[in-house]
Amino acid sequence: MIQLTERERMLRVFRRQEIDRIPMIDSAWRGTINRWHNEGMPKNVAWEDYFGFDRVIRICPDNSPRFERRVIEETDRYRIETTPWGSTQKAFNILDSTPEMLEFYYDTPEKWEEAKKAMYTYHEDRIPWKYLEANYPRWKAEGRFLQLVVWFGFDVAHTRLTGTENMLISMYDDPDWVTDIFDTYLNTSLDLCQRILDAGYEFDGIFWYDDMGYKGSPFFSPAAYRELLKPYHKKAVDWAHERGMVTEMHSCGYIEPL
């Protein structure tokens, strides 16, 4: 078989068709790339090209409530700051790690109404129009696999908006609030993605993160997933398929029961 472009290779994988080789896709942490440079990888070469990995281009519109971003404390080792999702996080400057979430502003149904109103307010800079305009022709010419990112679901809700314990309790005590969060995040994402498609940009698929598991079990039962979250996963998949796009979900943790 002749060598396929990344787009051809990825689409064939999703369609269960013959491919020239197994796709190799990963995300390298900043510290990892720095180590590779120290070990001899040239700095003027993308690590994907150096190691022969495939490159996926993902465009992620901003569907956050746009809470004020503010630095509260900064040292040589870490930075404590508020995020557009209303959370306060501690991020380390040198060590690669996920940030430590300290506080959550939108942690009640009443405050959620404030966030919801902000999320449904459209601003042109929620979409990286200039970045798209400058790079899209090259991506198409190079045969890149293009995905739109729709960030919604349990992951963004518990890590960025409400806090994990609050979200898990609410899934049982206040499921209407939880599903309203899922619905609003997804609707906001799909609206922004549709604006990109309406502007004439063509994408091959959608992608979203929704980490749903610990090391040895899911965060919640299959019954809770089926009732509260699965309908929104299905809505995202249906939306993409109606537009001729494939779908991919990333989930960390043990989610086999789901």
Side-chain angles (χ1 to χ4, degrees), residues 108-207:
T108 65
E110 292 73 27
K111 288 183 178 177
W112 161 245
E113 290 302 319
E114 178 185 335
K116 186 176 177 180
K117 181 179 179 180
M119 291 168 65
Y120 277 135
T121 302
Y122 176 70
H123 300 277
E124 279 292 302
D125 61 352
R126 284 187 180 274
I127 297 171
W129 292 116
K130 291 183 180 180
Y131 180 67
L132 273 168
E133 183 179 356
N135 293 281
Y136 180 82
R138 175 173 55 83
W139 294 334
K140 295 296 285 187
E142 293 173 346
R144 303 298 186 189
F145 182 66
L146 307 181
Q147 291 177 314
L148 290 167
V149 178
V150 287
W151 202 17
F152 72 100
F154 175 77
D155 187 11
V156 64
H158 86 97
T159 62
R160 304 287 178 173
L161 192 79
T162 68
T164 304
E165 183 177 357
N166 195 13
M167 171 57 62
L168 291 173
I169 292 174
S170 297
M171 289 178 75
Y172 289 91
D173 287 350
D174 197 353
D176 289 342
W177 178 35
V178 171
T179 54
D180 191 37
I181 293 173
F182 295 162
D183 188 59
T184 301
Y185 266 105
L186 178 57
N187 288 339
T188 303
S189 280
L190 295 183
D191 173 72
L192 293 170
C193 290
Q194 187 61 56
R195 290 173 186 268
I196 294 174
L197 297 178
D198 290 344
Y201 295 101
E202 297 178 351
F203 279 77
D204 303 305
I206 65 171
F207 172 92

